[in-house]
Amino acid sequence: MGTKRRWLDGSNLRVILRSGVLFLMLFADIWCAGYIVNWQSEMEKVWQVWQGLQKQNAEKLLDPLLEEAECFPVRSAKGQKVSWGFDDGYGEGRSYGGSRSHEGIDIMPTRERRQKIPIQSVSDGIVEQIGWLELGGYRVGIRTKSGLYFYYAHLKKYAPGLQKGDRVQAGTLLGYMGDTGYGPEGTQGKFPAHLHFGIYYDKDREESTVNPYYLLRYLEHDEQK
């Protein structure tokens, strides 16, 4: 016991205390640096969302979008890794059904496994529309509390039991990625499997679209990593 006390006495104890303080300071510096980097990255993504909305005079949507959109619409199935890609194709020309512009963003898988790639709700809300559309194939439309309308199109099939009027939460399974549409009900194979994701809102009492590209960039990091 006497030897142990002498070892802890004087200079040895001061060395231990100083080492402990230095370690804590170093840990705090590393943690703070990591926090600042993450914060800066988050703010840059938010800034990009705002800039994208500004181009369409829709800055007022920033708060409801960031508050209600919680997850990326495509997720990995249990036990498998799914990767995807998407470009800013909003507003590009489309010819089927007449000359028109693309009202959303197409999310494409790196490998076509349409029956196994789950599509989830990005937000809480109510299933306002479900069923077949000639342009969108099997689609789901979710209306949020603020009035935003998230549109998921070209699904292969729906989640079991999903019905119009159902309340869903962010992350709720809606169905599976597919290639349906551009014809009578059941038409498929007219284009590669993908998810068409759109955002609609009320603008001066008329339905309008907003480019989802930067919101998807904001949401994708946590799901695809």
Side-chain angles (χ1 to χ4, degrees):
M1 288 290 290
T3 303
K4 187 174 182 180
R5 286 197 191 94
R6 284 195 298 274
W7 188 82
L8 290 173
D9 285 343
S11 62
N12 288 327
L13 181 58
R14 285 193 293 273
V15 169
I16 294 172
L17 291 174
R18 286 174 182 170
S19 298
V21 171
L22 289 173
F23 175 80
L24 290 175
M25 291 176 65
L26 178 61
F27 177 81
D29 286 344
I30 294 173
W31 183 86
C32 288
Y35 178 83
I36 291 172
V37 169
N38 289 336
W39 182 83
Q40 289 176 331
S41 176
E42 188 79 2
M43 289 302 99
E44 182 178 351
K45 292 176 186 176
V46 171
W47 176 251
Q48 289 175 345
V49 175
W50 185 83
Q51 285 185 310
L53 294 173
Q54 188 182 39
K55 292 176 182 178
Q56 296 180 261
N57 297 316
E59 301 96 322
K60 68 178 183 179
L61 298 182
L62 180 66
D63 286 342
L65 280 173
L66 296 184
E67 180 179 346
E68 295 179 327
E70 299 182 33
C71 57
F72 196 76
V74 180
R75 75 182 189 211
S76 296
K78 187 176 181 180
Q80 69 169 297
K81 180 70 174 179
V82 174
S83 59
W84 53 77
F86 57 93
D87 297 318
D88 188 359
Y90 179 84
E92 291 181 348
R94 293 291 187 269
S95 58
Y96 181 87
S99 180
R100 57 191 175 86
S101 62
H102 195 217
E103 295 184 344
I105 295 296
D106 292 337
I107 304 171
M108 315 292 294
T110 55
R111 280 188 276 178
E112 188 170 327
R113 302 176 68 181
R114 63 182 182 230
Q115 292 179 303
K116 297 183 179 180
I117 301 180
I119 302 303
Q120 61 187 358
S121 178
V122 304
S123 68
D124 297 351
I126 297 175
V127 178
E128 185 170 290
Q129 296 291 345
I130 186 171
W132 183 265
L133 282 179
E134 183 177 353
L135 293 179
Y138 292 115
R139 89 332 187 164
V140 178
I142 306 294
R143 183 74 65 180
T144 71
K145 183 178 179 180
S146 72
L148 293 172
Y149 183 80
F150 293 115
Y151 175 73
Y152 311 77
H154 307 311
L155 303 183
K156 172 66 176 178
K157 60 180 179 179
Y158 298 118
L162 189 69
Q163 296 180 357
K164 186 175 181 178
D166 285 352
R167 290 187 176 275
V168 299
Q169 295 180 325
T172 296
L173 178 67
L174 301 179
Y176 296 86
M177 186 181 290
D179 56 1
T180 59
Y182 284 23
E185 183 166 359
T187 300
Q188 59 182 334
K190 298 282 188 176
F191 41 76
H194 67 281
L195 173 70
H196 170 98
F197 178 75
I199 303 174
Y200 294 79
Y201 72 105
D202 178 65
K203 183 178 182 180
D204 300 326
R205 298 185 179 181
E206 292 186 4
E207 184 180 69
S208 185
T209 65
V210 67
N211 188 352
Y213 178 73
Y214 289 106
L215 178 68
L216 290 172
R217 290 280 303 275
Y218 174 79
L219 295 172
E220 75 170 327
H221 177 70
D222 289 336
E223 184 62 35
Q224 186 169 249
K225 65 180 180 179

mmCIF file of all heavy atoms in Angstrom, residues 183-225:
data_model
loop_
_atom_site.group_PDB
_atom_site.id
_atom_site.type_symbol
_atom_site.label_atom_id
_atom_site.label_comp_id
_atom_site.label_asym_id
_atom_site.label_seq_id
_atom_site.Cartn_x
_atom_site.Cartn_y
_atom_site.Cartn_z
ATOM 1 N N GLY A 183 -49.683 3.658 -71.405
ATOM 2 C CA GLY A 183 -50.635 2.798 -72.083
ATOM 3 C C GLY A 183 -51.790 2.459 -71.156
ATOM 4 O O GLY A 183 -51.927 3.018 -70.067
ATOM 5 N N PRO A 184 -52.646 1.497 -71.575
ATOM 6 C CA PRO A 184 -53.749 1.061 -70.718
ATOM 7 C C PRO A 184 -53.225 0.355 -69.478
ATOM 8 O O PRO A 184 -52.054 -0.050 -69.415
ATOM 9 C CB PRO A 184 -54.537 0.107 -71.623
ATOM 10 C CG PRO A 184 -53.553 -0.352 -72.637
ATOM 11 C CD PRO A 184 -52.623 0.793 -72.862
ATOM 12 N N GLU A 185 -54.101 0.187 -68.488
ATOM 13 C CA GLU A 185 -53.663 -0.373 -67.207
ATOM 14 C C GLU A 185 -52.932 -1.700 -67.404
ATOM 15 O O GLU A 185 -53.382 -2.577 -68.144
ATOM 16 C CB GLU A 185 -54.843 -0.577 -66.268
ATOM 17 C CG GLU A 185 -54.405 -1.099 -64.908
ATOM 18 C CD GLU A 185 -55.471 -0.998 -63.852
ATOM 19 O OE1 GLU A 185 -56.581 -0.494 -64.144
ATOM 20 O OE2 GLU A 185 -55.202 -1.421 -62.705
ATOM 21 N N GLY A 186 -51.799 -1.807 -66.726
ATOM 22 C CA GLY A 186 -50.978 -3.003 -66.804
ATOM 23 C C GLY A 186 -49.813 -2.894 -67.769
ATOM 24 O O GLY A 186 -48.930 -3.751 -67.776
ATOM 25 N N THR A 187 -49.786 -1.824 -68.587
ATOM 26 C CA THR A 187 -48.689 -1.656 -69.540
ATOM 27 C C THR A 187 -47.359 -1.499 -68.810
ATOM 28 O O THR A 187 -47.262 -0.748 -67.841
ATOM 29 C CB THR A 187 -48.923 -0.405 -70.416
ATOM 30 O OG1 THR A 187 -50.144 -0.555 -71.138
ATOM 31 C CG2 THR A 187 -47.776 -0.216 -71.406
ATOM 32 N N GLN A 188 -46.369 -2.211 -69.275
ATOM 33 C CA GLN A 188 -45.034 -2.077 -68.706
ATOM 34 C C GLN A 188 -43.989 -2.350 -69.788
ATOM 35 O O GLN A 188 -44.301 -2.850 -70.861
ATOM 36 C CB GLN A 188 -44.837 -3.037 -67.536
ATOM 37 C CG GLN A 188 -45.011 -4.502 -67.881
ATOM 38 C CD GLN A 188 -44.844 -5.396 -66.663
ATOM 39 O OE1 GLN A 188 -44.161 -5.056 -65.703
ATOM 40 N NE2 GLN A 188 -45.475 -6.548 -66.681
ATOM 41 N N GLY A 189 -42.739 -1.987 -69.477
ATOM 42 C CA GLY A 189 -41.646 -2.261 -70.402
ATOM 43 C C GLY A 189 -41.423 -1.212 -71.471
ATOM 44 O O GLY A 189 -40.613 -1.414 -72.376
ATOM 45 N N LYS A 190 -42.103 -0.064 -71.380
ATOM 46 C CA LYS A 190 -41.912 0.981 -72.380
ATOM 47 C C LYS A 190 -40.644 1.807 -72.128
ATOM 48 O O LYS A 190 -40.228 2.591 -72.972
ATOM 49 C CB LYS A 190 -43.128 1.922 -72.399
ATOM 50 C CG LYS A 190 -44.449 1.258 -72.766
ATOM 51 C CD LYS A 190 -44.544 1.029 -74.257
ATOM 52 C CE LYS A 190 -45.941 0.547 -74.638
ATOM 53 N NZ LYS A 190 -46.101 0.399 -76.095
ATOM 54 N N PHE A 191 -40.058 1.627 -70.958
ATOM 55 C CA PHE A 191 -38.859 2.378 -70.577
ATOM 56 C C PHE A 191 -38.184 1.617 -69.433
ATOM 57 O O PHE A 191 -38.780 0.710 -68.838
ATOM 58 C CB PHE A 191 -39.228 3.805 -70.131
ATOM 59 C CG PHE A 191 -40.476 3.862 -69.283
ATOM 60 C CD1 PHE A 191 -40.460 3.466 -67.945
ATOM 61 C CD2 PHE A 191 -41.681 4.289 -69.820
ATOM 62 C CE1 PHE A 191 -41.605 3.514 -67.171
ATOM 63 C CE2 PHE A 191 -42.836 4.336 -69.055
ATOM 64 C CZ PHE A 191 -42.798 3.940 -67.726
ATOM 65 N N PRO A 192 -36.939 1.929 -69.106
ATOM 66 C CA PRO A 192 -36.264 1.233 -68.005
ATOM 67 C C PRO A 192 -36.966 1.472 -66.665
ATOM 68 O O PRO A 192 -37.580 2.524 -66.454
ATOM 69 C CB PRO A 192 -34.860 1.860 -68.003
ATOM 70 C CG PRO A 192 -34.685 2.421 -69.374
ATOM 71 C CD PRO A 192 -36.040 2.874 -69.804
ATOM 72 N N ALA A 193 -36.865 0.506 -65.785
ATOM 73 C CA ALA A 193 -37.452 0.637 -64.455
ATOM 74 C C ALA A 193 -36.821 1.818 -63.716
ATOM 75 O O ALA A 193 -35.605 2.004 -63.744
ATOM 76 C CB ALA A 193 -37.248 -0.652 -63.662
ATOM 77 N N HIS A 194 -37.667 2.612 -63.085
ATOM 78 C CA HIS A 194 -37.189 3.739 -62.294
ATOM 79 C C HIS A 194 -38.338 4.277 -61.465
ATOM 80 O O HIS A 194 -39.487 3.862 -61.609
ATOM 81 C CB HIS A 194 -36.633 4.855 -63.191
ATOM 82 C CG HIS A 194 -37.674 5.527 -64.045
ATOM 83 N ND1 HIS A 194 -38.154 4.974 -65.220
ATOM 84 C CD2 HIS A 194 -38.329 6.708 -63.896
ATOM 85 C CE1 HIS A 194 -39.053 5.779 -65.757
ATOM 86 N NE2 HIS A 194 -39.179 6.844 -64.964
ATOM 87 N N LEU A 195 -38.019 5.201 -60.559
ATOM 88 C CA LEU A 195 -39.047 5.927 -59.824
ATOM 89 C C LEU A 195 -39.106 7.356 -60.343
ATOM 90 O O LEU A 195 -38.085 8.053 -60.393
ATOM 91 C CB LEU A 195 -38.745 5.956 -58.326
ATOM 92 C CG LEU A 195 -39.697 6.858 -57.513
ATOM 93 C CD1 LEU A 195 -41.105 6.253 -57.458
ATOM 94 C CD2 LEU A 195 -39.159 7.119 -56.119
ATOM 95 N N HIS A 196 -40.301 7.779 -60.742
ATOM 96 C CA HIS A 196 -40.525 9.192 -61.045
ATOM 97 C C HIS A 196 -41.047 9.822 -59.753
ATOM 98 O O HIS A 196 -42.092 9.436 -59.237
ATOM 99 C CB HIS A 196 -41.554 9.354 -62.167
ATOM 100 C CG HIS A 196 -42.006 10.774 -62.357
ATOM 101 N ND1 HIS A 196 -41.483 11.606 -63.315
ATOM 102 C CD2 HIS A 196 -42.933 11.512 -61.686
ATOM 103 C CE1 HIS A 196 -42.075 12.784 -63.247
ATOM 104 N NE2 HIS A 196 -42.955 12.750 -62.258
ATOM 105 N N PHE A 197 -40.306 10.815 -59.245
ATOM 106 C CA PHE A 197 -40.686 11.479 -57.997
ATOM 107 C C PHE A 197 -40.988 12.938 -58.298
ATOM 108 O O PHE A 197 -40.177 13.647 -58.891
ATOM 109 C CB PHE A 197 -39.551 11.382 -56.982
ATOM 110 C CG PHE A 197 -39.831 12.080 -55.680
ATOM 111 C CD1 PHE A 197 -40.703 11.533 -54.760
ATOM 112 C CD2 PHE A 197 -39.217 13.291 -55.376
ATOM 113 C CE1 PHE A 197 -40.973 12.177 -53.557
ATOM 114 C CE2 PHE A 197 -39.470 13.940 -54.177
ATOM 115 C CZ PHE A 197 -40.345 13.380 -53.262
ATOM 116 N N GLY A 198 -42.182 13.378 -57.891
ATOM 117 C CA GLY A 198 -42.587 14.754 -58.143
ATOM 118 C C GLY A 198 -43.117 15.434 -56.891
ATOM 119 O O GLY A 198 -43.539 14.776 -55.936
ATOM 120 N N ILE A 199 -43.082 16.750 -56.909
ATOM 121 C CA ILE A 199 -43.614 17.558 -55.807
ATOM 122 C C ILE A 199 -44.584 18.579 -56.401
ATOM 123 O O ILE A 199 -44.229 19.347 -57.299
ATOM 124 C CB ILE A 199 -42.506 18.299 -55.039
ATOM 125 C CG1 ILE A 199 -41.469 17.319 -54.498
ATOM 126 C CG2 ILE A 199 -43.113 19.118 -53.897
ATOM 127 C CD1 ILE A 199 -40.277 17.997 -53.846
ATOM 128 N N TYR A 200 -45.806 18.600 -55.862
ATOM 129 C CA TYR A 200 -46.824 19.544 -56.302
ATOM 130 C C TYR A 200 -47.273 20.390 -55.103
ATOM 131 O O TYR A 200 -47.223 19.931 -53.958
ATOM 132 C CB TYR A 200 -48.029 18.807 -56.895
ATOM 133 C CG TYR A 200 -47.715 18.071 -58.178
ATOM 134 C CD1 TYR A 200 -47.070 16.837 -58.158
ATOM 135 C CD2 TYR A 200 -48.066 18.605 -59.419
ATOM 136 C CE1 TYR A 200 -46.773 16.164 -59.322
ATOM 137 C CE2 TYR A 200 -47.784 17.935 -60.599
ATOM 138 C CZ TYR A 200 -47.133 16.719 -60.547
ATOM 139 O OH TYR A 200 -46.834 16.051 -61.708
ATOM 140 N N TYR A 201 -47.696 21.593 -55.394
ATOM 141 C CA TYR A 201 -48.184 22.475 -54.332
ATOM 142 C C TYR A 201 -49.173 23.479 -54.923
ATOM 143 O O TYR A 201 -49.275 23.627 -56.151
ATOM 144 C CB TYR A 201 -47.019 23.206 -53.650
ATOM 145 C CG TYR A 201 -46.366 24.281 -54.487
ATOM 146 C CD1 TYR A 201 -46.599 25.638 -54.226
ATOM 147 C CD2 TYR A 201 -45.511 23.959 -55.546
ATOM 148 C CE1 TYR A 201 -45.992 26.628 -54.991
ATOM 149 C CE2 TYR A 201 -44.901 24.946 -56.312
ATOM 150 C CZ TYR A 201 -45.146 26.278 -56.026
ATOM 151 O OH TYR A 201 -44.561 27.249 -56.783
ATOM 152 N N ASP A 202 -49.891 24.141 -54.059
ATOM 153 C CA ASP A 202 -50.875 25.125 -54.486
ATOM 154 C C ASP A 202 -50.195 26.481 -54.668
ATOM 155 O O ASP A 202 -49.605 27.024 -53.733
ATOM 156 C CB ASP A 202 -51.990 25.250 -53.448
ATOM 157 C CG ASP A 202 -53.019 26.297 -53.841
ATOM 158 O OD1 ASP A 202 -53.699 26.100 -54.862
ATOM 159 O OD2 ASP A 202 -53.124 27.315 -53.127
ATOM 160 N N LYS A 203 -50.259 26.995 -55.879
ATOM 161 C CA LYS A 203 -49.681 28.301 -56.174
ATOM 162 C C LYS A 203 -50.769 29.186 -56.764
ATOM 163 O O LYS A 203 -51.235 28.956 -57.877
ATOM 164 C CB LYS A 203 -48.523 28.160 -57.175
ATOM 165 C CG LYS A 203 -47.831 29.483 -57.478
ATOM 166 C CD LYS A 203 -46.662 29.267 -58.429
ATOM 167 C CE LYS A 203 -45.930 30.569 -58.706
ATOM 168 N NZ LYS A 203 -44.785 30.367 -59.632
ATOM 169 N N ASP A 204 -51.174 30.166 -55.974
ATOM 170 C CA ASP A 204 -52.241 31.071 -56.399
ATOM 171 C C ASP A 204 -53.486 30.286 -56.815
ATOM 172 O O ASP A 204 -54.099 30.546 -57.852
ATOM 173 C CB ASP A 204 -51.772 31.961 -57.559
ATOM 174 C CG ASP A 204 -50.569 32.811 -57.179
ATOM 175 O OD1 ASP A 204 -50.493 33.222 -56.006
ATOM 176 O OD2 ASP A 204 -49.706 33.043 -58.047
ATOM 177 N N ARG A 205 -53.819 29.284 -56.004
ATOM 178 C CA ARG A 205 -55.012 28.456 -56.178
ATOM 179 C C ARG A 205 -54.951 27.557 -57.408
ATOM 180 O O ARG A 205 -55.976 27.069 -57.879
ATOM 181 C CB ARG A 205 -56.275 29.322 -56.223
ATOM 182 C CG ARG A 205 -56.515 30.097 -54.931
ATOM 183 C CD ARG A 205 -57.832 30.842 -54.968
ATOM 184 N NE ARG A 205 -58.055 31.553 -53.713
ATOM 185 C CZ ARG A 205 -59.139 32.276 -53.455
ATOM 186 N NH1 ARG A 205 -60.093 32.387 -54.384
ATOM 187 N NH2 ARG A 205 -59.268 32.889 -52.295
ATOM 188 N N GLU A 206 -53.757 27.359 -57.931
ATOM 189 C CA GLU A 206 -53.566 26.425 -59.035
ATOM 190 C C GLU A 206 -52.473 25.431 -58.673
ATOM 191 O O GLU A 206 -51.491 25.783 -58.007
ATOM 192 C CB GLU A 206 -53.190 27.168 -60.321
ATOM 193 C CG GLU A 206 -54.303 28.023 -60.890
ATOM 194 C CD GLU A 206 -53.939 28.620 -62.238
ATOM 195 O OE1 GLU A 206 -52.845 28.286 -62.746
ATOM 196 O OE2 GLU A 206 -54.729 29.413 -62.774
ATOM 197 N N GLU A 207 -52.638 24.178 -59.133
ATOM 198 C CA GLU A 207 -51.633 23.163 -58.860
ATOM 199 C C GLU A 207 -50.379 23.458 -59.672
ATOM 200 O O GLU A 207 -50.438 23.681 -60.878
ATOM 201 C CB GLU A 207 -52.172 21.774 -59.216
ATOM 202 C CG GLU A 207 -51.203 20.651 -58.864
ATOM 203 C CD GLU A 207 -51.758 19.287 -59.215
ATOM 204 O OE1 GLU A 207 -51.879 18.999 -60.424
ATOM 205 O OE2 GLU A 207 -52.068 18.521 -58.287
ATOM 206 N N SER A 208 -49.249 23.465 -58.998
ATOM 207 C CA SER A 208 -47.987 23.735 -59.668
ATOM 208 C C SER A 208 -46.941 22.733 -59.190
ATOM 209 O O SER A 208 -47.089 22.107 -58.147
ATOM 210 C CB SER A 208 -47.531 25.166 -59.358
ATOM 211 O OG SER A 208 -46.359 25.487 -60.088
ATOM 212 N N THR A 209 -45.877 22.583 -59.972
ATOM 213 C CA THR A 209 -44.802 21.669 -59.603
ATOM 214 C C THR A 209 -43.560 22.458 -59.205
ATOM 215 O O THR A 209 -43.401 23.621 -59.568
ATOM 216 C CB THR A 209 -44.428 20.739 -60.774
ATOM 217 O OG1 THR A 209 -43.886 21.523 -61.842
ATOM 218 C CG2 THR A 209 -45.637 19.964 -61.252
ATOM 219 N N VAL A 210 -42.712 21.791 -58.453
ATOM 220 C CA VAL A 210 -41.427 22.378 -58.103
ATOM 221 C C VAL A 210 -40.356 21.314 -58.327
ATOM 222 O O VAL A 210 -40.608 20.111 -58.146
ATOM 223 C CB VAL A 210 -41.427 22.889 -56.644
ATOM 224 C CG1 VAL A 210 -41.527 21.743 -55.652
ATOM 225 C CG2 VAL A 210 -40.197 23.738 -56.363
ATOM 226 N N ASN A 211 -39.183 21.732 -58.735
ATOM 227 C CA ASN A 211 -38.099 20.796 -59.027
ATOM 228 C C ASN A 211 -37.642 20.085 -57.749
ATOM 229 O O ASN A 211 -37.166 20.738 -56.822
ATOM 230 C CB ASN A 211 -36.930 21.568 -59.646
ATOM 231 C CG ASN A 211 -35.830 20.653 -60.158
ATOM 232 O OD1 ASN A 211 -35.834 19.457 -59.934
ATOM 233 N ND2 ASN A 211 -34.884 21.233 -60.869
ATOM 234 N N PRO A 212 -37.746 18.743 -57.705
ATOM 235 C CA PRO A 212 -37.346 18.006 -56.500
ATOM 236 C C PRO A 212 -35.849 17.709 -56.407
ATOM 237 O O PRO A 212 -35.408 17.105 -55.435
ATOM 238 C CB PRO A 212 -38.109 16.672 -56.631
ATOM 239 C CG PRO A 212 -38.955 16.783 -57.844
ATOM 240 C CD PRO A 212 -38.377 17.859 -58.692
ATOM 241 N N TYR A 213 -35.067 18.118 -57.405
ATOM 242 C CA TYR A 213 -33.682 17.658 -57.517
ATOM 243 C C TYR A 213 -32.857 17.940 -56.263
ATOM 244 O O TYR A 213 -32.228 17.042 -55.704
ATOM 245 C CB TYR A 213 -33.021 18.292 -58.734
ATOM 246 C CG TYR A 213 -31.570 17.920 -58.902
ATOM 247 C CD1 TYR A 213 -31.211 16.639 -59.324
ATOM 248 C CD2 TYR A 213 -30.550 18.823 -58.627
ATOM 249 C CE1 TYR A 213 -29.881 16.278 -59.475
ATOM 250 C CE2 TYR A 213 -29.219 18.476 -58.775
ATOM 251 C CZ TYR A 213 -28.886 17.203 -59.197
ATOM 252 O OH TYR A 213 -27.566 16.851 -59.334
ATOM 253 N N TYR A 214 -32.853 19.186 -55.812
ATOM 254 C CA TYR A 214 -31.985 19.530 -54.680
ATOM 255 C C TYR A 214 -32.513 18.965 -53.363
ATOM 256 O O TYR A 214 -31.734 18.662 -52.454
ATOM 257 C CB TYR A 214 -31.797 21.042 -54.598
ATOM 258 C CG TYR A 214 -30.924 21.550 -55.715
ATOM 259 C CD1 TYR A 214 -31.470 22.257 -56.785
ATOM 260 C CD2 TYR A 214 -29.554 21.293 -55.727
ATOM 261 C CE1 TYR A 214 -30.666 22.701 -57.826
ATOM 262 C CE2 TYR A 214 -28.745 21.731 -56.768
ATOM 263 C CZ TYR A 214 -29.310 22.438 -57.811
ATOM 264 O OH TYR A 214 -28.510 22.857 -58.848
ATOM 265 N N LEU A 215 -33.818 18.795 -53.258
ATOM 266 C CA LEU A 215 -34.347 18.118 -52.068
ATOM 267 C C LEU A 215 -33.870 16.679 -52.036
ATOM 268 O O LEU A 215 -33.482 16.162 -50.974
ATOM 269 C CB LEU A 215 -35.877 18.167 -52.053
ATOM 270 C CG LEU A 215 -36.512 17.439 -50.853
ATOM 271 C CD1 LEU A 215 -36.206 18.180 -49.564
ATOM 272 C CD2 LEU A 215 -38.013 17.285 -51.037
ATOM 273 N N LEU A 216 -33.877 15.998 -53.175
ATOM 274 C CA LEU A 216 -33.394 14.622 -53.237
ATOM 275 C C LEU A 216 -31.908 14.552 -52.897
ATOM 276 O O LEU A 216 -31.462 13.625 -52.209
ATOM 277 C CB LEU A 216 -33.656 14.030 -54.623
ATOM 278 C CG LEU A 216 -35.125 13.762 -54.960
ATOM 279 C CD1 LEU A 216 -35.270 13.360 -56.424
ATOM 280 C CD2 LEU A 216 -35.696 12.669 -54.056
ATOM 281 N N ARG A 217 -31.132 15.522 -53.364
ATOM 282 C CA ARG A 217 -29.719 15.575 -53.007
ATOM 283 C C ARG A 217 -29.560 15.725 -51.494
ATOM 284 O O ARG A 217 -28.657 15.146 -50.879
ATOM 285 C CB ARG A 217 -29.046 16.761 -53.717
ATOM 286 C CG ARG A 217 -28.885 16.616 -55.218
ATOM 287 C CD ARG A 217 -27.679 15.747 -55.579
ATOM 288 N NE ARG A 217 -26.451 16.265 -55.001
ATOM 289 C CZ ARG A 217 -25.686 17.202 -55.545
ATOM 290 N NH1 ARG A 217 -26.041 17.724 -56.717
ATOM 291 N NH2 ARG A 217 -24.585 17.602 -54.961
ATOM 292 N N TYR A 218 -30.428 16.517 -50.916
ATOM 293 C CA TYR A 218 -30.402 16.749 -49.468
ATOM 294 C C TYR A 218 -30.742 15.472 -48.690
ATOM 295 O O TYR A 218 -30.152 15.187 -47.654
ATOM 296 C CB TYR A 218 -31.399 17.858 -49.138
ATOM 297 C CG TYR A 218 -31.592 18.125 -47.663
ATOM 298 C CD1 TYR A 218 -30.662 18.880 -46.946
ATOM 299 C CD2 TYR A 218 -32.709 17.645 -46.992
ATOM 300 C CE1 TYR A 218 -30.843 19.135 -45.594
ATOM 301 C CE2 TYR A 218 -32.896 17.897 -45.641
ATOM 302 C CZ TYR A 218 -31.964 18.647 -44.950
ATOM 303 O OH TYR A 218 -32.141 18.893 -43.614
ATOM 304 N N LEU A 219 -31.677 14.677 -49.234
ATOM 305 C CA LEU A 219 -32.172 13.498 -48.520
ATOM 306 C C LEU A 219 -31.359 12.236 -48.759
ATOM 307 O O LEU A 219 -31.386 11.317 -47.936
ATOM 308 C CB LEU A 219 -33.624 13.209 -48.933
ATOM 309 C CG LEU A 219 -34.678 14.237 -48.568
ATOM 310 C CD1 LEU A 219 -36.008 13.887 -49.232
ATOM 311 C CD2 LEU A 219 -34.861 14.329 -47.048
ATOM 312 N N GLU A 220 -30.630 12.161 -49.850
ATOM 313 C CA GLU A 220 -30.051 10.874 -50.261
ATOM 314 C C GLU A 220 -28.895 10.389 -49.407
ATOM 315 O O GLU A 220 -28.652 9.191 -49.315
ATOM 316 C CB GLU A 220 -29.593 10.929 -51.710
ATOM 317 C CG GLU A 220 -28.313 11.691 -51.946
ATOM 318 C CD GLU A 220 -27.776 11.510 -53.346
ATOM 319 O OE1 GLU A 220 -27.941 10.420 -53.936
ATOM 320 O OE2 GLU A 220 -27.171 12.468 -53.877
ATOM 321 N N HIS A 221 -28.173 11.271 -48.757
ATOM 322 C CA HIS A 221 -26.921 10.886 -48.090
ATOM 323 C C HIS A 221 -27.140 9.802 -47.044
ATOM 324 O O HIS A 221 -26.412 8.815 -46.999
ATOM 325 C CB HIS A 221 -26.262 12.097 -47.459
ATOM 326 C CG HIS A 221 -25.016 11.762 -46.703
ATOM 327 N ND1 HIS A 221 -23.843 11.365 -47.327
ATOM 328 C CD2 HIS A 221 -24.759 11.704 -45.369
ATOM 329 C CE1 HIS A 221 -22.926 11.108 -46.414
ATOM 330 N NE2 HIS A 221 -23.453 11.327 -45.224
ATOM 331 N N ASP A 222 -28.149 9.970 -46.182
ATOM 332 C CA ASP A 222 -28.347 9.036 -45.075
ATOM 333 C C ASP A 222 -28.779 7.658 -45.557
ATOM 334 O O ASP A 222 -28.505 6.649 -44.902
ATOM 335 C CB ASP A 222 -29.392 9.576 -44.094
ATOM 336 C CG ASP A 222 -28.855 10.759 -43.311
ATOM 337 O OD1 ASP A 222 -27.616 10.866 -43.178
ATOM 338 O OD2 ASP A 222 -29.657 11.574 -42.844
ATOM 339 N N GLU A 223 -29.460 7.583 -46.706
ATOM 340 C CA GLU A 223 -29.951 6.284 -47.170
ATOM 341 C C GLU A 223 -28.912 5.521 -47.965
ATOM 342 O O GLU A 223 -28.789 4.316 -47.841
ATOM 343 C CB GLU A 223 -31.207 6.516 -48.046
ATOM 344 C CG GLU A 223 -31.862 5.230 -48.503
ATOM 345 C CD GLU A 223 -32.371 4.372 -47.363
ATOM 346 O OE1 GLU A 223 -32.832 4.927 -46.354
ATOM 347 O OE2 GLU A 223 -32.275 3.134 -47.461
ATOM 348 N N GLN A 224 -28.135 6.230 -48.786
ATOM 349 C CA GLN A 224 -27.187 5.574 -49.663
ATOM 350 C C GLN A 224 -25.767 5.823 -49.168
ATOM 351 O O GLN A 224 -25.066 6.698 -49.636
ATOM 352 C CB GLN A 224 -27.342 6.096 -51.099
ATOM 353 C CG GLN A 224 -26.459 5.340 -52.091
ATOM 354 C CD GLN A 224 -26.809 5.665 -53.511
ATOM 355 O OE1 GLN A 224 -27.324 4.819 -54.218
ATOM 356 N NE2 GLN A 224 -26.550 6.875 -53.986
ATOM 357 N N LYS A 225 -25.345 5.069 -48.189
ATOM 358 C CA LYS A 225 -23.992 5.199 -47.649
ATOM 359 C C LYS A 225 -23.529 3.887 -47.082
ATOM 360 O O LYS A 225 -24.279 2.958 -46.948
ATOM 361 C CB LYS A 225 -23.945 6.310 -46.585
ATOM 362 C CG LYS A 225 -24.776 5.995 -45.340
ATOM 363 C CD LYS A 225 -24.675 7.132 -44.349
ATOM 364 C CE LYS A 225 -25.508 6.828 -43.100
ATOM 365 N NZ LYS A 225 -25.432 7.887 -42.100
#
